[in-house]
Amino acid sequence: VKYSGTALPAMWQATHVAKNIVRLATNRPQKAFHPHSAPCGVPVSDSWAYVEWFGVYIKGRSGYIARRLLELYGYCQLLPFKTARSVWRTHDVHDITL
């Protein structure tokens, strides 16, 4: 799916689906999904990733760090910051200090 790769676009997609389920249950027409121009982050290896957003491309180790920060942002959209940071850090297998 275009603009996938991080939690933030997944949340936008899930919110859209939930709203359409409510619209369906209340006999209203469903709306088409229009993707936001969200950052796209794709992990390539353990410490290498590719991130694209608004025509800016980051790859390699810097891309990995950018993707991790996008993940933290996504978690913060769902959870209080301290909880989000704790969950996010459990996935940081390389112990990067951010």
Side-chain angles (χ1 to χ4, degrees):
V1 174
K2 191 173 184 178
Y3 301 117
S4 64
T6 62
L8 186 58
M11 287 179 13
W12 289 335
Q13 293 165 10
T15 300
H16 178 78
V17 169
K19 287 179 180 179
N20 266 346
I21 290 171
V22 170
R23 295 177 73 77
L24 184 64
T26 57
N27 293 322
R28 296 183 313 189
Q30 296 183 31
K31 292 187 177 182
F33 180 72
H34 301 287
H36 299 74
S37 81
C40 176
V42 180
V44 177
S45 70
D46 288 342
S47 60
W48 203 101
Y50 175 83
V51 174
E52 176 183 344
W53 194 17
F54 289 119
V56 175
Y57 306 93
I58 306 170
K59 63 182 180 177
R61 183 83 170 148
S62 298
Y64 173 77
I65 293 170
R67 186 173 190 283
R68 291 286 294 141
L69 291 172
L70 290 172
E71 290 172 355
L72 176 60
Y73 179 75
Y75 285 129
C76 287
Q77 300 304 302
L78 294 169
L79 305 165
F81 176 75
K82 287 184 179 183
T83 306
R85 185 171 177 254
S86 175
V87 170
W88 175 75
R89 288 185 66 102
T90 63
H91 296 279
D92 192 8
V93 296
H94 299 291
D95 294 324
I96 294 177
T97 304
L98 297 175

